[in-house]
Amino acid sequence: MKTIDELLAEGVEGKRVFVRADLNVPLADGKITDDGRIRAVLPTVKALADGGAKVIVASHLGRPKGAPDPAFSLLPAAERLAELLGKPVAFAQDTVGPAAHDAVDGLEPGQVAVIENLRFNAGETSKDDTERGEFADRLAALADVYVGDGFGAVHRKHASVYDLPARLPHYAGYLIATEVGVLKKLTDEVKRPYVVALGGAKVSDKLAVIDQLLGKADRLLIGGGMAYTFLKAQGHEVGVSLLQEDQIPAVKEYIKRAEGTGVELVLPVDVLVSPDFPDLKTKAPANPTTVAADAIPADQEGLDIGPETRKLYASKLADAGTVFWNGPMGVFEHPDYAEGTKAVAQALLDSPAFTVVGGGDSAAAVRLLGFDENAFGHISTGGGASLEYLEGKTLPGLAALED
């Protein structure tokens, strides 16, 4: 795929450059709680603006149902982008309508505009090729060149990700080039031992990547809500912990495969439990109890890995050559259940390995818990995209950037 450096070498002075970014940031009461994804696209936006382009930044945010919804407006992201750039950013209150055209027409070389949430138009996410194509045609009318830099969306066959690049000269931005380079180190250029730490709520979200990693990784460390389906598959009581009963047969098969292929599958040996899910708004004291992983009381819910598991997982990461971590070890948003996730993050920092934090909640946890994100080898902006890449899937947004 062609890169933004090639585009800049060709010259962008006065050209309208459409940047498909990922500004899908978390919001609380209209305020951004983590601006990592906005900062990730800054190098691309700044380079284009410095080159004299008229930069049009577009993204989705949340899951509006194909119509305008103020709760999902990109205005807060546009305002934060302006702060980070240190210059005004125009904001269009629609995607392809009069406001978008007025904003783009009003740009001078070196200026930037953000158009409203792409998912306010049903054509963005439509499964109908014609409807999606019609929306892509209207987006293409705004620009002369396309730069794909929204890695968090490249696994989606959406109009702005998949169809639009076919209608304009297209290039990969700095973020996508970096993300792909890093993921190749997890697939083609692995330094061993290769350790993968997987957490998060649902084991079903991770089954496909576990299937691939059983032939590639040396160790798999399992935590988070998904661990309880593994413990149940081993015959243990898990109380009222998060459990996907329908996934137990698949999990049993993976446990068997791991034994057969020599992959070390490591599960929690102790967990923090409580009869009540913690209040994440007030963060009131939860007073959890630590129990052995095979002795969870019937009326209790596992909410974090315990102290012995933290030590165990740290030891399994200490000699790694490559580490990929996707998914928190517990309900990290509450301080009483953050220690497991914090321990894994610290173990990554202490390890000499090339470390990749696989986006989503893991990336948010790193920042929320106060770690220096620059100390990790790489923090991905796309959890789902990273997982699908590791599963060996063709990602529509990357395929669209190939020549």
Side-chain angles (χ1 to χ4, degrees):
M1 63 181 70
K2 289 184 179 179
T3 68
I4 186 175
D5 283 333
E6 293 173 84
L7 172 60
L8 291 169
E10 294 166 8
V12 293
E13 178 74 34
K15 290 184 179 178
R16 301 171 301 163
V17 181
F18 187 103
V19 178
R20 202 330 180 162
D22 179 8
L23 308 181
N24 186 27
V25 292
L27 297 170
D29 299 321
K31 303 293 185 183
I32 296 170
T33 58
D34 181 359
D35 67 357
R37 284 176 169 165
I38 301 175
R39 287 184 285 109
V41 78
L42 272 180
T44 291
V45 174
K46 191 173 186 307
L48 290 167
D50 289 348
K54 300 176 181 180
V55 187
I56 306 142
V57 180
S59 176
H60 69 287
L61 192 152
R63 297 188 176 184
K65 302 186 183 300
D69 183 338
F72 298 107
S73 174
L74 275 175
L75 180 58
E79 292 173 341
R80 181 57 180 149
L81 179 61
E83 291 173 359
L84 293 169
L85 285 172
K87 62 194 292 184
V89 169
F91 180 70
Q93 294 183 330
D94 59 27
T95 55
V96 290
H101 282 274
D102 287 348
V104 172
D105 291 344
L107 290 176
E108 296 294 331
Q111 293 183 338
V112 180
V114 172
I115 62 174
E116 187 54 285
N117 192 333
L118 292 164
R119 292 185 182 175
F120 285 1
N121 190 302
E124 169 68 0
T125 59
S126 176
K127 290 184 172 21
D128 181 86
D129 291 349
T130 300
E131 184 180 11
R132 216 175 49 246
E134 288 173 351
F135 183 50
D137 287 338
R138 297 181 70 187
L139 289 172
L142 294 171
D144 305 306
V145 181
Y146 177 93
V147 171
D149 214 31
F151 181 75
V154 293
H155 58 314
R156 305 296 187 193
K157 193 176 181 181
H158 291 170
S160 66
V161 175
Y162 179 74
D163 302 272
L164 183 55
R167 289 157 168 79
L168 295 169
H170 46 270
Y171 302 81
Y174 290 126
L175 175 60
I176 279 187
T178 298
E179 294 272 15
V180 171
V182 166
L183 289 170
K184 284 183 177 177
K185 291 185 178 181
L186 299 179
T187 53
D188 304 331
E189 308 160 14
V190 180
K191 183 180 178 183
R192 297 189 179 277
Y194 180 18
V195 184
V196 178
L198 295 176
K202 295 182 178 180
V203 69
S204 57
D205 292 342
K206 305 292 196 315
L207 284 181
V209 76
I210 291 172
D211 182 57
Q212 287 292 316
L213 291 169
L214 283 175
K216 296 172 183 175
D218 298 298
R219 292 179 202 133
L220 290 178
L221 316 181
I222 306 295
M226 63 183 286
Y228 302 103
T229 302
F230 276 84
L231 292 171
K232 186 72 171 180
Q234 290 185 324
H236 303 311
E237 170 65 57
V238 297
V240 292
S241 304
L242 190 62
L243 176 65
Q244 289 186 283
E245 291 266 10
D246 61 325
Q247 301 299 326
I248 288 177
V251 168
K252 284 183 176 179
E253 176 61 27
Y254 287 151
I255 292 172
K256 183 178 178 182
R257 275 181 55 196
E259 292 172 353
T261 56
V263 175
E264 189 179 1
L265 181 62
V266 189
L267 297 176
V269 294
D270 62 345
V271 297
L272 269 62
V273 299
S274 171
D276 302 302
F277 194 83
D279 186 328
L280 298 182
K281 279 200 170 182
T282 66
K283 294 184 171 54
N287 302 315
T289 304
T290 301
V291 300
D294 60 357
I296 299 174
D299 65 342
Q300 302 277 310
E301 179 178 8
L303 295 164
D304 194 15
I305 58 173
E308 293 305 314
T309 305
R310 293 173 218 152
K311 293 177 189 174
L312 173 63
Y313 285 12
S315 72
K316 297 296 182 182
L317 292 163
D319 67 342
T322 303
V323 178
F324 175 70
W325 171 34
N326 182 281
M329 296 292 108
V331 186
F332 71 92
E333 299 92 341
H334 192 286
D336 287 353
Y337 301 104
E339 292 303 315
T341 301
K342 193 181 295 183
V344 168
Q346 186 61 54
L348 263 65
L349 292 182
D350 294 341
S351 169
F354 175 67
T355 57
V356 179
V357 180
D361 285 342
S362 309
V366 162
R367 290 186 275 267
L368 180 67
L369 297 175
F371 289 95
D372 177 5
E373 56 191 297
N374 295 318
F376 297 88
H378 179 69
I379 296 183
S380 179
T381 56
S386 295
L387 288 175
E388 291 198 15
Y389 189 99
L390 294 182
E391 290 167 22
K393 290 184 177 179
T394 297
L395 305 188
L398 295 185
L401 294 175
E402 298 287 353
D403 292 313

